[in-house]
Each structure stands twice: as C-alpha cells, then as structure tokens.
C-alpha cells in the first residue's frame, strides 16, 4: 500500500468490524453529532453545567472504546508492539471519550425540564 486513501480506510474498517457493525457505528455517530448540533442551535450556547457533567463520562468512553476494539479484533494489550500501535490505541481512546461526552451532553440537554429555560 503506497498511499492511504479514504476508500482504503473504509475497506479496512469494514473488514475489521464487518460492514453491518461499521455502518451502524457510523450512523449512530452521525445521529449523535446531529443531535448535538440541534442542541447548540436550540440553546444558542454551550451550557457549562451540562458540559462539566458530560466530561466526567470521558474516561469511561475511552476505556470502553479501547476494550471494544480489542474484543472485536481479538487482541489484547500484549499485542501492542510499537509506537504506531500506541498512537492508534490513544486515538481510539480519544474518539471514545469524545463520543460519550457528546452523548452525555445531548442526553442532559434533552432531559432538561421545560421550565428551566434560560431565555
């Protein structure tokens, strides 16, 4: 492989997770992102208390994402061989942390009581 393209990455991810799981994860990520954008437009700002609470879920999301990928790929921490493996594991953790933080923020914003509007 002489160059890394977007199509190559899609093919690798489909091979790793299977096409159904991969595209389901893409769909869920897109839905969470759209919900976050909706909340930002609706509230016209980021609510600090929601964000602070949502950030507490980041370590859980990071650990869950790393363990999920290791389960799917049938590997473990002993299989981490070089610097690129460590970078990939860290990137997976960051993605999981960010994803769960977004989800927790959106969930709090949607569960807000109608009388608690700041307008």
């Amino acid at each position: 492989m002489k160059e890394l393209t977007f199509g190559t990455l899609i093919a690798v991810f489909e091979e790793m997770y299977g096409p159904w799981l991969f595209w389901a994860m893409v769909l869920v990520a897109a839905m969470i992102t759209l919900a976050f954008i909706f909340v930002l437009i609706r509230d016209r700002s980021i609510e600090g208390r929601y964000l602070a609470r949502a950030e507490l879920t980041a370590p859980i999301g990071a650990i869950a994402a790393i363990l999920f990928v290791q389960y799917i790929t049938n590997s473990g921490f002993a299989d981490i061989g070089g610097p690129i493996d460590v970078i990939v594991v860290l990137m997976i953790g960051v993605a999981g942390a960010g994803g769960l933080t977004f989800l927790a923020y959106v969930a709090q914003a949607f569960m807000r009581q109608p009388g608690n509007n700041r307008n």
Side-chain angles (χ1 to χ4, degrees):
M1 182 168 76
K2 295 201 182 232
E3 61 184 66
L4 186 61
T5 64
F6 189 67
T8 304
L9 283 175
I10 299 256
V12 167
F13 288 136
E14 280 186 347
E15 183 67 28
M16 261 176 53
Y17 298 113
W20 290 103
L21 179 59
F22 171 70
W23 289 110
M25 290 190 312
V26 169
L27 181 65
V28 168
M31 289 171 46
I32 292 170
T33 302
L34 290 174
F36 182 73
I37 292 169
F38 171 78
V39 167
L40 285 181
I41 292 171
R42 182 192 71 181
D43 295 346
R44 295 185 183 93
S45 68
I46 292 180
E47 187 68 39
R49 60 193 159 134
Y50 294 160
L51 184 60
R53 287 185 207 131
E55 287 174 345
L56 294 174
T57 65
I60 297 166
I63 292 168
I66 291 168
L67 293 177
F68 175 73
V69 169
Q70 287 189 347
Y71 174 76
I72 289 295
T73 59
N74 201 15
S75 62
F77 290 108
D79 298 322
I80 298 174
I84 192 65
D85 292 338
V86 173
I87 291 170
V88 168
V89 168
L90 289 174
M91 287 173 33
I92 291 168
V94 167
L100 193 57
T101 301
F102 274 106
L103 179 62
Y105 184 91
V106 167
Q108 290 178 82
F110 282 142
M111 290 189 308
R112 174 181 70 183
Q113 298 295 326
N116 292 344
N117 227 352
R118 295 187 319 147
N119 295 339

